[in-house]
Amino acid sequence: MRIFIFILCLLCSTAHSQQTAQNLFGQYRTALYQIKIIELESGNKSSIGSGFQIDKSGNVVTNYHVVSEYVYNPDKYRIEYLAHDGSEGHLQLVDVDVVNDLALVRKVALSNQENAFPIAESLPEQGSAIFSLGNPHDLGMIVVPGTFNGLKKNSFYQRIHFTGSINPGMSGGPVVNQLGEVMGVNVATAGNQIGFLIPLAKIRNLLKSQDAKILENKQLKPRIQQQLLANQSRLFSLLNNHDWVTSVLGEALIPAKITDFISCWGGSNTSDTEALYLSVENRCQLDEQIYLHNGLRTGGLEIEFEWLDGKSLGEHRFYNFYSQSITGAGAGNKAAKTDVTNYRCQQDKVTNINGVTNKTILCFRAYKEFEQLYDVLFVGATLDHNQQGLISHYTLAGVSKDSALVFTQKFMDAIAWQ
């Protein structure tokens, strides 16, 4: 009997969810749009996403990454919308929030029957049914029921964890509660019914520019630079002012938990019975990055420590192996020559406050479009042992020189011998 009641409840819940989805789609489909980036030379669409209208003045919210081609090359592209009834029109860019992957665009021509989504006052309770709307794979607008699982834990770039399918093309579409009020924006998926949404607070911040003038082409990248600089300042202020927790790696003490939103993993080759040396690793990473365009992401951070013990190799062979390990480090994010300069590096020999001596290589490459922002690569190798050593490595993406130098000093001073 209990099983029957449970199944009946599930069927009732499913039916209610389907009815709610139908009602929402029927009520708000006129405020849903496909967002298209049109390549001017060919007249064909280059990329697509979704968007939703938030007022009667024609303001439409979407993802920054949906319109990023236009932002980077406004002379080569234009932004258009496709409505539910097949009508099309031009959109103008009002503002962007590159850090939170949001953009505000505005319809050039308005009709007498403009419809808009209401914005929720607050997020729903965890476990509540919510509904994602969008245009997956250019198949037309759909409604996907899902579950609100709260804000993603230990995250610097705040996201909502959504149980439901977010597919390509749905980026920028609204996620609404059962009243049809927007409480999130589709942004990413990890597959297996794991989706991520931009939360309500970030949407409200963007809406402060509802009455702003259209951004001119020359204002686009300076606007992004301003946001990137403010974001890196906040991030590295947190990192550099936080007390780093250390742990043992080989015969060294290393920073292993520098903040809650940076995840760490460990590993070793102890299971390899044929290994000629011992390698024990600790790796940490800021999982989220900021999308600038298809070939460039920024805002990331990677840290790696490796303890090497090569007593069985002999001193000469270990030295050669150790030297190769130092030169093998690479950049943390991919970038084209059009985006960044070549790395300029400085080598040094440094003894930190704990008496640990390192051979160091510190490299900077500048962003060509954004003044004061750099990618940073650091490698350090201890010189205090003949056949043992600690290799320290980090990469930073999109940081000021001042923040990077403060971080480097703290990074090196956190290393000690047991």
Side-chain angles (χ1 to χ4, degrees):
M1 185 66 177
R2 289 182 179 177
I3 295 175
F4 175 76
I5 293 172
F6 177 69
I7 294 174
L8 188 61
C9 288
L10 283 178
L11 292 174
C12 292
S13 177
T14 301
H16 175 71
S17 180
Q18 290 174 345
Q19 186 62 47
T20 302
Q22 291 171 3
N23 292 340
L24 289 172
F25 189 75
Q27 185 175 359
Y28 292 110
R29 63 178 179 171
T30 57
L32 280 170
Y33 302 97
Q34 182 186 79
I35 308 298
K36 303 187 293 182
I37 304 302
I38 305 298
E39 202 263 330
L40 297 179
E41 191 68 28
S42 66
N44 292 322
K45 58 189 174 188
S46 174
S47 61
I48 60 170
S50 301
F52 59 98
Q53 193 162 332
I54 45 86
D55 60 23
K56 298 296 181 70
S57 300
N59 285 306
V60 175
V61 173
T62 186
N63 284 144
Y64 163 81
H65 76 257
V66 171
V67 300
S68 62
E69 284 182 300
Y70 171 81
V71 173
Y72 260 75
N73 296 287
D75 297 327
K76 296 182 180 180
Y77 298 94
R78 67 174 180 266
I79 312 173
E80 292 185 356
Y81 69 85
L82 174 66
H84 76 288
D85 59 359
S87 61
E88 298 177 304
H90 292 282
L91 293 168
Q92 295 176 305
L93 188 62
V94 179
D95 202 1
V96 297
D97 177 355
V98 68
V99 173
N100 294 297
D101 202 352
L102 288 172
L104 187 67
V105 293
R106 185 176 295 155
K107 295 168 69 175
V108 174
L110 298 177
S111 70
N112 295 324
Q113 297 179 329
E114 297 293 329
N115 194 9
F117 278 86
I119 306 300
E121 291 296 325
S122 60
L123 292 175
E125 293 183 4
Q126 189 159 347
S128 298
I130 55 177
F131 302 86
S132 171
L133 293 82
N135 188 340
H137 300 287
D138 203 10
L139 295 174
M141 288 295 175
I142 65 168
V143 182
V144 178
T147 306
F148 175 76
N149 293 305
L151 295 173
K152 182 184 175 186
K153 295 180 179 179
N154 300 330
S155 176
F156 180 73
Y157 300 109
Q158 201 174 65
R159 296 288 184 264
I160 290 171
H161 177 195
F162 170 70
T163 300
S165 298
I166 299 177
N167 295 302
M170 294 181 72
S171 292
V175 181
V176 301
N177 59 25
Q178 296 190 51
L179 299 176
E181 299 169 332
V182 176
M183 41 69 59
V185 177
N186 299 322
V187 69
T189 180
N192 298 318
Q193 298 285 302
I194 299 175
F196 296 104
L197 318 173
I198 301 164
L200 179 63
K202 308 303 180 184
I203 304 169
R204 287 193 171 281
N205 286 338
L206 180 71
L207 298 188
K208 292 176 182 177
S209 53
Q210 267 179 275
D211 299 322
K213 294 181 179 179
I214 303 300
L215 282 174
E216 298 178 19
N217 291 355
K218 64 182 180 180
Q219 296 176 299
L220 296 177
K221 288 174 184 173
R223 178 72 171 138
I224 292 174
Q225 175 174 301
Q226 175 191 38
Q227 293 173 357
L228 292 176
L229 283 169
N231 179 71
Q232 75 83 37
S233 178
R234 185 170 73 92
L235 172 60
F236 283 90
S237 177
L238 286 171
L239 294 176
N240 292 332
N241 293 317
H242 194 268
D243 291 331
W244 294 3
V245 177
T246 60
S247 65
V248 176
L249 189 72
E251 295 185 10
L253 289 172
I254 62 164
K257 184 71 173 176
I258 67 175
T259 187
D260 289 337
F261 54 78
I262 293 179
S263 306
C264 296
W265 301 267
S268 71
N269 66 347
T270 52
S271 60
D272 185 355
T273 56
E274 298 182 2
L276 298 177
Y277 62 92
L278 172 66
S279 170
V280 186
E281 295 182 338
N282 183 279
R283 300 185 178 191
C284 302
Q285 183 175 328
L286 179 61
D287 293 330
E288 306 99 339
Q289 295 188 46
I290 298 169
Y291 183 101
L292 290 178
H293 63 71
N294 191 43
L296 180 62
R297 287 167 173 77
T298 190
L301 178 151
E302 297 175 339
I303 297 173
E304 180 179 344
F305 293 97
E306 184 178 16
W307 173 259
L308 294 170
D309 188 330
K311 292 177 181 178
S312 60
L313 287 175
E315 188 172 332
H316 179 69
R317 289 181 66 192
F318 178 74
Y319 177 79
N320 290 334
F321 173 74
Y322 197 48
S323 299
Q324 291 172 6
S325 299
I326 299 170
T327 57
N333 64 330
K334 296 179 181 179
K337 291 182 179 180
T338 53
D339 296 312
V340 294
T341 64
N342 292 327
Y343 274 113
R344 298 184 65 179
C345 301
Q346 177 179 334
Q347 297 189 34
D348 209 344
K349 181 179 177 182
V350 180
T351 300
N352 73 2
I353 59 174
N354 299 312
V356 179
T357 302
N358 275 270
K359 177 183 178 181
T360 64
I361 303 170
L362 180 60
C363 307
F364 289 85
R365 66 180 182 189
Y367 283 64
K368 292 182 177 180
E369 298 281 3
F370 307 113
E371 295 179 3
Q372 304 175 52
L373 287 175
Y374 299 83
D375 289 340
V376 187
L377 168 65
F378 173 87
V379 185
T382 58
L383 302 175
D384 303 291
H385 300 78
N386 290 329
Q387 292 170 265
Q388 294 174 304
L390 178 72
I391 295 176
S392 310
H393 169 52
Y394 76 69
T395 61
L396 311 175
V399 61
S400 72
K401 272 193 175 180
D402 288 344
S403 294
L405 291 174
V406 173
F407 181 87
T408 303
Q409 188 65 55
K410 183 159 186 171
F411 181 84
M412 293 188 63
D413 284 343
I415 299 169
W417 297 124
Q418 276 189 271

